[in-house]
Amino acid sequence: MSLSICLLAAEVAPLSKTGGLADVAGALSKYLATAGHDVRLFTPLYASIDQSRFPMRPIDGLQHVPLQIGPHHYVFSVVTTRLAGSDALVYLIDCPVLYGRPAIYTTDPDEHLRFLAFTRAVLAACQRMRWSPQILHCNDWHTAFGPLFVKAQLASEPLFARTRSVLTIHNIGYQGILGAAAIADLDLGPKSHLLHQDELRAGTINPLRHGILYADAITTVSPTHALEICTDEYGMGLQDSLRMRRDALTGILNGVDYHIWDPRNDRYLPEHYDSDTLSIKTELKRALIERLGLTTSATIPLAGMVSRLASQKGIELMFESLPQVLEWRDLGFVALGSGEPQYERFLAELAQSFPGRVVFRQGYDDELSHWIEAACDMFLMPSLYEPCGLNQMYSLRYGTVPIVRRTGGLADSVEHYVPDTGQGTGIVFNDFNSAALEWALNTALDLYDEPSQWTQMVRNGMARDFSWERQGRRYVEIYRSLISAR
Ligand code: ADP
Ligand code: GLC
């Protein structure tokens, strides 16, 4: 039986992207559409979306719709476009006052209104389309009030009476906390008692917590992270609510869209390769070395990193370990990313200290991110926490050995290589400190010096399958269990 699924995401690749949420929202909806479900993926129409690349079609009956959010009055329209290579339609909420800004996320005082209005507009669009979603699937804090809005206000309408809600937590580190004064913007009226009262008294409202409290099912993006977020160490203050709802919480590892992330068909690469044609990977390495102006040769190992430069990503573990390793061993390093100034400064200074061996490209560059995956030998992800992480799974497919800390989805997707058995796909370290990362880097470099071991590890990784065909099914199982539990 085909299901009707309304997916809400603040970013969707390739339209708008700052991180993995975009990749997952786009790929999951493609999977669901291919599996025959009526999936409608909603996202804001940001000014940064290139409408010449993605032609938009207005939807009849959804133009110039008034929307009241507390005392604020907005008008929105809905346009659609298709995701390449699939029947999946994306519905974009067009409201230039809210989304016509230079960046996807802002620190503007009305940031919460941008996403409250988005969530409300999606529900209003369902009403106007007379479309009854069986599943309302919200993602992260931006849309986490969706389940509460359905329960408190819409469940009495025939259209939503059978709707069940899912909240996926991609990143518990971002909760979108509001001051209690914003209570009027939630328009809950007499249902305001449903808000978390202790928090209200303390002067705050936490969108993500309300998603956790009211969603019919909660998922996060790896089995290990589902356990982690119930602990004081990783729960970021939400562990009590998560423990209370433990029975509704599941961890589902993200999938990889191999139409986009596979060296056998990567659209950015001039030549393609697989595990039988690894000499082409070496050619690509040569080309990247030349393009970046590195002075290392193709026989010297090249490590890469592509990352938001946020404290989550463990960049500070590199502060001591990376200069040490670069001092003592032959290694090239290319980093692409942007974010917090102290991490950008560290990488810029590292490039200055090791000219010709280290390159830092500050910014966001989709094409270069694919090249780094393809041309490097190793890929660094020493994360403090990592709900899933996509780049380590991309790296495995590209034969680029991931060096990761054993946390969240990194622990669930990379297996430490054991030379005696020839089993394993990468280098995994446990402790969050520089010495542990230094050990991991040295272990990788030692293995690189043993070509047969290295090739074995690379091939093991390339054979792993994290496709959405596997992971997407798990979401459908959850959707179905909610519907049949009615
Ligand atoms: P997160 O969502 O926490 O940022 P993920 O590993 O799940 O981490 O996903 C990150 C995604 O964003 C990957 O597709 C990665 O290639 C991409 N990405 C991150 N930073 C950049 C950048 N500076 N340029 C291009 N792509 C980037
Ligand atoms: C988040 C997490 C990342 C995850 C991504 C997609 O931003 O930091 O680990 O892969 O969302 O789920």
Side-chain angles (χ1 to χ4, degrees):
M1 186 194 62
S2 143
L3 304 174
S4 50
I5 304 150
C6 179
L7 258 172
L8 288 74
E11 46 186 278
V12 174
L15 304 166
S16 52
K17 172 167 164 180
T18 70
L21 168 61
D23 290 15
V24 172
L28 176 59
S29 94
K30 280 207 255 179
Y31 165 79
L32 293 169
T34 308
H37 301 291
D38 177 6
V39 54
R40 304 187 191 182
L41 167 60
F42 286 83
T43 198
L45 181 60
Y46 299 108
S48 55
I49 295 178
D50 180 355
Q51 296 198 32
S52 63
R53 264 184 75 204
F54 307 103
M56 303 285 169
R57 193 175 59 80
I59 303 208
D60 287 346
L62 283 174
Q63 301 303 302
H64 311 292
V65 182
L67 182 70
Q68 192 73 29
I69 303 290
H72 314 277
H73 183 71
Y74 303 102
V75 174
F76 75 92
S77 297
V78 182
V79 295
T80 59
T81 192
R82 221 169 263 286
L83 289 179
S86 107
D87 289 337
L89 273 185
V90 185
Y91 292 69
L92 297 105
I93 305 292
D94 184 12
C95 180
V97 189
L98 292 172
Y99 313 123
R101 303 186 190 177
I104 294 179
Y105 304 120
T106 75
T107 50
D108 298 344
D110 64 346
E111 185 71 354
H112 72 287
L113 289 170
R114 297 175 75 224
F115 293 105
L116 271 180
F118 170 55
T119 309
R120 290 280 188 195
V122 173
L123 296 169
C126 294
Q127 284 168 318
R128 291 218 162 200
M129 292 191 283
R130 306 297 312 149
W131 183 58
S132 173
Q134 289 168 296
I135 297 293
L136 183 80
H137 187 159
C138 300
N139 291 279
D140 276 351
W141 75 265
H142 320 97
T143 53
F145 278 120
L148 175 58
F149 292 161
V150 170
K151 283 215 163 64
Q153 293 164 322
L154 299 172
S156 55
E157 289 185 24
L159 207 61
F160 292 100
R162 300 163 73 83
T163 301
R164 293 295 171 265
S165 58
V166 177
L167 170 73
T168 296
I169 303 173
H170 296 264
N171 203 325
I172 199 164
Y174 301 84
Q175 301 177 4
I177 297 174
L178 322 172
I183 191 168
D185 298 335
L186 297 176
D187 290 306
L188 287 168
K191 296 287 177 68
S192 297
H193 69 274
L194 294 173
L195 292 172
H196 192 278
Q197 297 299 310
D198 290 348
E199 253 172 22
L200 258 190
R201 274 190 289 275
T204 60
I205 302 173
N206 185 325
L208 196 59
R209 188 187 300 279
H210 288 89
I212 293 167
L213 293 175
Y214 291 106
D216 294 306
I218 307 155
T219 71
T220 188
V221 287
S222 67
T224 293
H225 198 58
L227 300 174
E228 286 174 344
I229 56 179
C230 293
T231 67
D232 294 348
E233 190 185 350
Y234 287 100
M236 309 262 183
L238 296 177
Q239 58 273 26
D240 50 345
S241 302
L242 284 159
R243 278 186 216 135
M244 216 167 75
R245 302 240 35 227
R246 203 191 289 265
D247 290 347
L249 171 65
T250 316
I252 303 177
L253 197 71
N254 284 330
V256 173
D257 186 343
Y258 289 123
H259 297 292
I260 298 174
W261 292 99
D262 192 323
R264 289 178 291 199
N265 48 37
D266 189 313
R267 71 188 172 107
Y268 289 118
L269 301 180
E271 280 190 275
H272 296 124
Y273 65 90
D274 59 20
S275 58
D276 293 328
T277 51
L278 285 169
S279 60
I280 294 173
K281 182 173 169 66
T282 312
E283 287 308 312
L284 294 169
K285 178 177 173 184
R286 237 177 235 122
L288 185 68
I289 286 174
E290 196 178 312
R291 166 178 165 187
L292 296 176
L294 290 166
T295 52
T296 53
S297 76
T299 53
I300 307 275
L302 182 63
M305 180 176 90
V306 179
S307 186
R308 290 185 299 111
L309 301 176
S311 60
Q312 171 195 349
K313 300 296 177 180
I315 312 297
E316 71 249 42
L317 296 195
M318 300 179 186
F319 287 3
E320 281 178 27
S321 58
L322 214 47
Q324 279 288 334
V325 173
L326 284 158
E327 193 70 49
W328 292 103
R329 307 202 60 161
D330 257 348
L331 171 70
F333 178 56
V334 47
L336 166 66
S338 65
E340 294 176 28
Q342 73 271 27
Y343 304 131
E344 292 191 355
R345 209 177 315 121
F346 160 71
L347 290 167
E349 285 170 9
L350 192 72
Q352 270 173 7
S353 308
F354 296 93
R357 294 179 58 205
V358 174
V359 167
F360 170 48
R361 284 291 160 86
Q362 193 274 349
Y364 187 90
D365 185 337
D366 197 39
E367 189 245 6
L368 182 57
S369 74
H370 284 248
W371 267 89
I372 290 176
E373 286 292 2
C376 289
D377 300 294
M378 318 166 178
F379 196 96
L380 302 191
M381 292 182 79
S383 304
L384 172 63
Y385 73 96
E386 196 62 75
C388 179
L390 295 171
N391 282 107
Q392 81 283 7
M393 296 193 282
Y394 301 159
S395 298
L396 289 171
R397 181 50 63 101
Y398 284 78
T400 303
V401 171
I403 301 177
V404 306
R405 194 171 90 81
R406 195 186 305 279
T407 181
L410 301 175
D412 291 338
S413 56
V414 183
E415 203 187 310
H416 186 67
Y417 183 74
V418 180
D420 287 350
T421 61
Q423 303 283 317
T425 56
I427 307 298
V428 185
F429 65 98
N430 293 322
D431 298 334
F432 189 74
N433 61 45
S434 319
L437 176 57
E438 195 173 325
W439 169 84
L441 287 164
N442 281 317
T443 304
L445 292 171
D446 290 346
L447 279 169
Y448 187 86
D449 287 338
E450 291 183 62
S452 63
Q453 294 283 11
W454 188 262
T455 308
Q456 180 68 43
M457 174 163 57
V458 163
R459 291 216 164 106
N460 293 348
M462 293 180 91
R464 289 289 195 271
D465 179 6
F466 296 100
S467 59
W468 272 107
E469 284 68 36
R470 285 167 167 244
Q471 311 306 120
R473 263 189 239 138
R474 304 282 319 279
Y475 283 97
V476 176
E477 279 163 23
I478 289 184
Y479 299 157
R480 287 198 195 285
S481 71
L482 291 179
I483 292 167
S484 61
R486 264 198 287 257

